[in-house]
Amino acid sequence: MLDLAPMEHVHEIEITEEHVTILYNQKITNNYNTNEITQKEWIYKYNDDPEFVQAVRAVIELARKHLRDMPDNIACPPGCAECCSGYEPFVSKADVQRIADFLGMNYEDALDEYVVKRDSADGFSVGYLRKVTDDVADQCVFLKGSSSGRHYCGIYEGRPHDCRAFTPIGCEDVDASLRHDRNFVPGSPFQPKHPPKTRRRLR
Ligand code: SF4
Ligand code: SF4
């Protein structure tokens, strides 16, 4: 039987037609230049229990149907930008360069003006996007549309990877009055305070 007591930090649950696998109690030890990951694994093979197999198959079918239904809902409804206030998107050098290109600035100026510098241990991130004030719960400096109440990203084509990868799956804060099936016309893009002489736009 499954002993739930030590399963406090479940990392992943995989359910197939043959077994359930649970990875838990993962520990990451940071060494000088490597990370050592250890975890416990619990596997339950139930393919000799036809009723259980049937029940699990039904759950898997439901999950597959949900996956098929997902594309409509995989993006946030246009206008919602709750998360552009609640999170600090971390940026890599490539992200900063993309933002700089979008705004027609050079890398160093974009980094100084729009990034709170904080190098990650692995050197991948150079910091996170600035908020309009020093309050980390404030809105992203690039968020626009506050006066209309229908927000949009002012650097959409140049936004960092963290923002591109964000999905509303499991989201409970979505503004339910906003819909996917209506046209949303964003306003003008973000303008730097000191506009560069030449602007180069991404496609
Ligand atoms: S860059 Fe755009 S999408 Fe990302 S947090 Fe800022 S406003 Fe939101
Ligand atoms: S829909 Fe959800 S995930 Fe997307 S911005 Fe709104 S609150 Fe965030």
Side-chain angles (χ1 to χ4, degrees):
M1 290 300 293
L2 171 59
D3 178 6
L4 284 171
M7 253 184 224
E8 287 173 333
H9 304 289
V10 174
H11 177 62
E12 190 178 303
I13 301 176
E14 183 189 65
I15 303 175
T16 71
E17 274 108 336
E18 289 177 356
H19 51 74
V20 177
T21 306
I22 301 177
L23 301 178
Y24 65 104
N25 280 8
Q26 186 181 80
K27 283 201 185 89
I28 301 177
T29 310
N30 298 311
N31 299 320
Y32 174 65
N33 58 0
T34 54
N35 290 337
E36 188 186 333
I37 301 175
T38 57
Q39 59 194 1
K40 292 188 176 176
E41 187 178 82
W42 179 86
I43 300 178
Y44 177 48
K45 291 191 178 170
Y46 45 73
N47 52 1
D48 55 348
D49 182 342
E51 254 183 61
F52 200 61
V53 170
Q54 196 55 35
V56 171
R57 184 169 294 139
V59 172
I60 292 173
E61 275 312 311
L62 197 63
R64 284 184 179 144
K65 177 179 179 315
H66 181 64
L67 266 180
R68 282 197 295 273
D69 290 347
M70 228 163 43
D72 275 354
N73 300 319
I74 204 153
C76 307
C80 185
E82 281 296 309
C83 296
C84 300
S85 302
Y87 294 93
E88 302 89 58
F90 278 83
V91 285
S92 64
K93 286 179 183 160
D95 287 324
V96 177
Q97 188 61 61
R98 195 181 317 106
I99 293 168
D101 287 347
F102 181 84
L103 297 172
M105 304 172 76
N106 67 42
Y107 178 91
E108 292 302 332
D109 288 348
L111 184 71
D112 284 347
E113 204 151 337
Y114 302 119
V115 176
V116 177
K117 288 173 209 161
R118 188 166 299 172
D119 289 335
S120 62
D122 61 3
F124 185 74
S125 301
V126 292
Y128 60 88
L129 290 188
R130 245 178 231 296
K131 305 295 188 143
V132 292
T133 67
D134 288 341
D135 181 353
V136 287
D138 211 335
Q139 66 181 45
C140 171
V141 71
F142 295 122
L143 187 64
K144 295 199 67 181
S146 309
S147 53
S148 68
R150 301 204 66 190
H151 298 86
Y152 64 94
C153 175
I155 55 161
Y156 191 74
E157 297 92 331
R159 71 199 186 286
H161 177 267
D162 267 12
C163 305
R164 289 162 192 267
F166 217 87
T167 79
I169 294 169
C171 161
E172 293 179 354
D173 298 324
V174 58
D175 180 347
S177 68
L178 299 168
R179 304 221 342 228
H180 285 270
D181 56 354
R182 300 221 174 115
N183 283 341
F184 178 78
V185 182
S188 54
F190 177 88
Q191 297 289 337
K193 271 195 198 135
H194 311 293
K197 290 191 182 94
T198 52
R199 284 176 64 83
R200 181 150 63 91
R201 299 298 305 276
L202 297 181
R203 292 191 175 277

